[in-house]
Every structure is written in structure tokens, then in C-alpha cells.
Amino acid sequence: MTPTRVLVLNSGSSSLKYQLLDMRDSSRLAVGLVERIGEQTSRLRHTLVATGETREQNGPIADHETALKSVAEELARDGLGLDSPELAAIGHRVVHGGMFFTEPTVIDDSVLTEIERLIPVAPLHNPANLTGIRTAQALRPDLPQVAVFDTAFHTTMPESAARYAIDPKIADRHRIRRYGFHGTSHAYVSRETARLLGKEPDEVNVIVLHLGNGASASAVEHGRCVETSMGLTPLEGLVMGTRSGDLDPAVIFHLARVGGMSMDEIDTLLNKRSGLFGLCGDNDMREIRRRIEEGDEEASLAFDIYIHRIKKYIGAYYAVLGQVDAVAFTAGVGENAAAVRSAAVAGLEGLGLAVDEELNAVRSDGARLISPASARVAVAVVPTDEELEIATQTYALVGKNS
Ligand code: AMP
């Protein structure tokens, strides 16, 4: 029997998300999430997709190893255990692959060492990803484990886009450059957008707007990323749920010298207490829209700042690409907030961009066009699916190597 299942693991600092897929038809068999690992109030939620049955475990789960063991038990209860000969591989989301990893990679000791070496540029994410990998390896040492990097899709960026204008010797010594993130989503969505247009990825230029709690834009030229808004870390670029996105770097010196803040305080301010949340106290776009409907000026200004930044990036990436076939909205806000899509494209008729408000208002889980038939540039809503992309890349790699 050829194994056709792939387990996708996305390990955060205190969470573990997982999906088991059958790659014969890319269907989900089981999905779940362990939250608040290391706390007294941990929770595991597991769903067997075929029946929709969901089981929950509440109570302390000490670490990722215990979490993955509990997940393995839940899967086994559904006859989908990790010991099954049908399991082909485990695919891990790894946030930072630096310059080194340009493609999904079968994990061996040297790969683990390199992911470890990248911890200084991804202090929050890579340690958690490593823990997930090591735990999975301990459970199934014989099984191929594949790392799929958030940064890989962006490694095609030219040096002119990837380099900051600082002394290259200093930059190289500290591995400072623009890496970009959400790469699996940008890869998947740009490809699906081409498909929606009835074209091959290498026939189109797409601007992808991944607007979730984290947010990033990318310019994808003939299937290759040539520019993206996140940089050395996921702090650069668009206004996000709690991150500021772009600001004058001198704001940091000013906060330290004049504001008396420590580096850690500034880090927390810009990563966790800025963006929409910092501007108006809410980072959920639904709540912000509700407040705007009630005439709340603070929420309204936060929304305007958020939209203004997206518009600047659309314009910039239009110029980078020269010619654009489609602008694609994705992730929690991009897929669901019609008001954001409408406002982000408003006034861009000169660039050939427009939204048909009737199409824009339609709620659907599928990829769809929301621009008028006559528009020069297509505007699309394309739901992202990072787990499917990780599973697809993992399965393709394992298939190639077996
Ligand atoms: P993500 O990080 O892709 O899961 O996106 C999460 C964000 O999507 C939330 O913080 C909300 O701001 C936004 N979101 C989710 N559902 C909706 C909705 N129906 N309308 C507007 N925004 C939404």
C-alpha cells in the first residue's frame, strides 16, 4: 500500500495546530488545536472530519511533547494513529528559513542545526517549531519529516528588494535583510488566483494581500515573488492586528532616549500593543466595523490608517510589477471583510482596479472574482489554505525521494 496521508504540524510557543490530510484527494481527515500549553488551563480540541465529531480535553498539558502524545492518542481513537502505515510524512511549518532554505526540506540533523542557527532572527517562532519537530521525531523516528518554511517563497526576491540600505558588511554579519513571511499563503493564493483567471502561474502578475491578524502584501511576477512587505521580522509593512507595520526607525531611538523606554518595552509596544489594537483598543475587524457603524471616531481613524497603508502598497507593487493581472485578498480580514476590500480599492480606477459591490457582498468559501467584468485588473477573494499547501509540498517532496 502506498502511504497517502500527511500530518501537518504548526507549533507555536504555547500552541500546537494539526491537520491530517489524505493526499489522494487533498481531503481533511482530522483537525485540531492544543492551546495554552504549559498552563493549568490547556485545552485540546480534536475534530474527526468525516463525522464532525469534536472532542475536548481540558486540564494542564505541560509541554509540546505531552501535547503531541495527546494528539496521537486522539488520532488513534479515530483509527488514524501515527503508527498507521498509511502515514507518508509529517510536514512542519517552520517560520524562518533564512537565506539557506529556498524549498521544503527533508529534516535531518544538519537541517535542525541550521533552523537553530536562525533563532536570533526568529526568537519567538523557530524554538517552538524545533520543539514540534523533535517531539514528532521521537514519536516516529522512521518517518520522513519535512520542514516547509514561511520565508522560502520570498527567496526569489532580487537583492534590490531584499537588502536594506545599510552597510552590507554589518547587514551580512547579523543576517539583516528582508526575508518576508506568510510565504506558504502567498504561494498558494497567487497560484490559485492564476487558476481562477484560467491561466498558469507563470502567465500572470498578482498582488496578494494577506490580511489576517498578521498582514502582508506580496508582488508575484510570473509565479515568483519579487517583493513582499514583511522584512527581517514580521513587524514591517502593513498595519496589523497588534503590530505597527512600517514606521520611521527613529521612532525607536526617540522612545528610548526621550520616552525612557527599554528595548523590551519598545518591542512589546510595536509587536503587541500597536496596529489596530494600539490605535483603537480592538484588533478584530468585526468589532471595528461595528464601532464605526455606531459613529465611533477612534475606530474610524484606525480603519482609515489601515486602509491607507494597504493602498500605498497596492500602488507600490503595481509600480514594481509594471503590469498587474490581479489583486487577491486573503486571510481572515481579506476573505471576510467586504468593507476593507471595497475601501482598499476605492479610487484606484486609474490603475484599472474596481470592485463590483454586489459581487463583493456575496459570502462564500470559494475563490471568486469581485471586479466588474469590464475591469482591466481582476480583483479576487481567494481563501488561503496554508495546511493544504504544507501537505502538498511535503507529499511532493517525499514522493520524489521515495
Ligand atoms: P487570521 O489571522 O487570518 O485568522 O485572521 C483573523 C482576523 O480576521 C480576526 O482578528 C478578524 O479581524 C478578522 N475576521 C475574521 N472573521 C471576520 C469577519 N467575518 N469580518 C471581518 N473580519 C473578520
Side-chain angles (χ1 to χ4, degrees):
M1 178 205 311
T2 311
T4 56
R5 291 180 189 160
V6 173
L7 178 68
V8 175
L9 293 181
N10 181 353
S11 234
S13 53
S14 64
S15 69
L16 176 68
K17 283 192 219 150
Y18 62 94
Q19 291 197 0
L20 182 67
L21 291 96
D22 188 334
M23 299 316 290
R24 279 176 300 190
D25 57 359
S26 303
S27 61
R28 262 88 176 157
L29 302 173
V31 301
L33 167 68
V34 190
E35 294 173 284
R36 298 190 289 275
I37 296 172
E39 295 178 32
Q40 289 302 309
T41 57
S42 317
R43 182 173 78 161
L44 189 164
R45 245 176 102 84
H46 172 90
T47 302
L48 175 63
V49 175
T51 61
E53 183 201 344
T54 295
R55 295 191 293 272
E56 239 184 73
Q57 276 181 36
N58 290 291
I61 295 181
D63 49 34
H64 282 76
E65 194 179 334
T66 319
L68 188 56
K69 280 188 181 146
S70 303
V71 169
E73 281 164 24
E74 289 297 336
L75 287 167
R77 277 177 70 183
D78 292 332
L80 301 169
L82 294 192
D83 52 356
S84 163
E86 289 177 71
L87 191 59
I90 300 181
H92 296 267
R93 174 186 184 217
V94 179
V95 167
H96 218 309
M99 293 271 286
F100 194 78
F101 295 110
T102 57
E103 289 184 341
T105 306
V106 176
I107 299 167
D108 58 18
D109 286 348
S110 68
V111 172
L112 285 176
T113 306
E114 189 56 31
I115 297 173
E116 211 163 66
R117 275 178 13 108
L118 287 161
I119 288 177
V121 282
L124 296 179
H125 294 105
N126 275 26
N129 301 155
L130 277 168
T131 309
I133 295 170
R134 292 203 169 105
T135 309
Q137 281 181 325
L139 281 180
R140 275 298 302 267
D142 56 315
L143 200 66
Q145 315 255 344
V146 174
V148 178
F149 300 93
D150 256 23
T151 44
F153 184 61
H154 305 303
T155 53
T156 50
M157 277 197 290
E159 288 296 280
S160 54
R163 287 244 174 217
Y164 292 108
I166 61 172
D167 181 341
K169 287 193 284 302
I170 294 176
D172 290 345
R173 189 179 318 138
H174 300 291
R175 299 186 184 217
I176 295 172
R177 62 187 280 119
R178 307 190 54 254
Y179 295 100
F181 298 88
H182 293 146
T184 5
S185 177
H186 287 283
Y188 177 83
V189 171
S190 57
R191 242 189 11 248
E192 288 300 305
T193 306
R195 194 200 300 259
L196 185 65
L197 299 180
K199 298 265 176 74
E200 293 298 321
D202 63 3
E203 294 177 317
V204 291
N205 289 348
V206 184
I207 297 174
V208 178
L209 299 166
H210 177 112
L211 310 176
N213 203 20
S216 62
S218 69
V220 183
E221 186 177 51
H222 303 148
R224 288 163 65 85
C225 178
V226 292
E227 174 62 289
T228 193
S229 59
M230 285 176 167
L232 172 73
T233 76
L235 183 56
E236 190 178 343
L238 300 175
V239 175
M240 312 185 208
T242 64
R243 291 178 221 145
S244 62
D246 295 335
L247 40 76
D248 180 346
V251 169
I252 295 164
F253 320 143
H254 190 81
L255 287 172
R257 291 183 188 133
V258 181
M261 291 174 75
S262 71
M263 274 305 146
D264 283 345
E265 283 169 341
I266 299 171
D267 192 327
T268 303
L269 174 76
L270 298 182
N271 274 298
K272 304 218 167 108
R273 308 195 58 78
S274 296
L276 291 169
F277 176 79
L279 286 165
C280 74
D282 272 307
N283 58 341
D284 192 315
M285 190 51 76
R286 285 163 288 203
E287 186 57 18
I288 291 170
R289 291 302 309 167
R290 195 193 56 72
R291 284 173 56 186
I292 293 172
E293 305 278 307
E294 287 176 356
D296 185 321
E297 283 180 19
E298 205 179 43
S300 191
L301 179 59
F303 184 82
D304 290 349
I305 294 170
Y306 180 87
I307 295 295
H308 178 75
R309 187 80 52 86
I310 295 173
K311 226 176 235 189
K312 278 210 298 195
Y313 270 90
I314 294 175
Y317 288 5
Y318 208 111
V320 166
L321 290 168
Q323 179 267 326
V324 177
D325 297 286
V327 173
F329 287 88
T330 194
V333 176
E335 291 167 30
N336 295 298
V340 167
R341 298 191 294 257
S342 174
V345 170
L348 301 184
E349 294 82 6
L351 298 179
L353 283 162
V355 158
D356 176 321
E357 287 307 339
E358 249 175 64
L359 294 175
N360 191 28
V362 174
R363 297 198 66 85
S364 152
D365 290 338
R368 58 204 184 269
L369 291 174
I370 57 167
S371 42
S374 60
R376 233 180 331 124
V377 179
V379 182
V381 180
V382 179
T384 193
D385 195 336
E386 290 166 276
E387 287 78 15
L388 175 59
E389 180 69 16
I390 292 171
T392 305
Q393 294 193 14
T394 298
Y395 195 59
L397 185 60
V398 171
K400 232 186 315 185
N401 289 353
S402 62

